[in-house]
Amino acid sequence: MTENTGDSYEDCSVYVDAADSSTIITWLKERLGSGEGGQGLSVGPLLVSGAFNDYSTGRKAHPFEFLEWPTVLECEADAGAEPSAVVAAVTTLLETLWGGGWKALAACDFEDELPACGGSERYPLPSPSEGLAQARTGRWKSLLVRGGKRKRNSV
């Protein structure tokens, strides 16, 4: 993998198909042995906090439509963190979640440097010929691009 020039490695959102972010943070702490207590989690240079996914509407959607997954993990890199260390930390999060049977997908500038392109190859939406998938894909892309990275309150 090569680092993308001009991409930001400061933050990454990891969407998880789990009802409660505190359950995911606790579960990750048990497996990764990281965190200083409280609601946060440290993985390498990342500070990880969980929140309810503001994009989720609760509607019935394709099971791989990650913007409908109820939990988002906001990952923020320490100042001056090496891009390769950030990629490795997000990879650890994703592989731990996948290994535990959770659906998880990373949305960030460097997702092409992550395994399975951050999860998008693991959870593809149906092709546009199969229905409304193109509209769904357009919806999540526009939300992510238009809104940029939003600060969320930790849960």
Side-chain angles (χ1 to χ4, degrees), residues 13-90:
S13 297
V14 177
Y15 294 85
V16 184
D17 192 8
D20 179 36
S21 64
S22 62
T23 299
I24 292 298
I25 293 290
T26 300
W27 186 87
L28 285 166
K29 282 181 180 180
E30 290 170 0
R31 273 126 194 102
L32 300 174
S34 52
E36 64 252 5
Q39 300 296 320
L41 169 70
S42 296
V43 180
L46 294 180
L47 300 175
V48 182
S49 60
F52 175 75
N53 176 10
D54 293 337
Y55 294 128
S56 179
T57 63
R59 70 179 175 87
K60 183 164 175 52
H62 188 278
F64 293 168
E65 188 171 353
F66 72 92
L67 280 184
E68 291 298 330
W69 297 348
T71 293
V72 64
L73 301 177
E74 294 293 351
C75 306
E76 295 184 29
D78 292 338
E82 288 294 321
S84 60
V86 174
V87 170
V90 175

Side-chain angles (χ1 to χ4, degrees), residues 73-145:
L73 301 177
E74 294 293 351
C75 306
E76 295 184 29
D78 292 338
E82 288 294 321
S84 60
V86 174
V87 170
V90 175
T91 295
T92 297
L93 272 178
L94 288 171
E95 290 178 342
T96 302
L97 289 164
W98 296 336
W102 300 99
K103 287 190 283 187
L105 187 141
C108 51
D109 287 347
F110 54 91
E111 59 199 45
D112 60 324
E113 297 178 54
L114 298 167
C117 287
S120 62
E121 291 176 353
R122 291 176 63 105
Y123 309 110
L125 287 171
S127 68
S129 64
E130 295 180 37
L132 298 176
Q134 188 168 6
R136 288 188 194 121
T137 301
R139 175 180 169 258
W140 72 257
K141 283 183 179 177
S142 70
L143 285 171
L144 291 176
V145 171

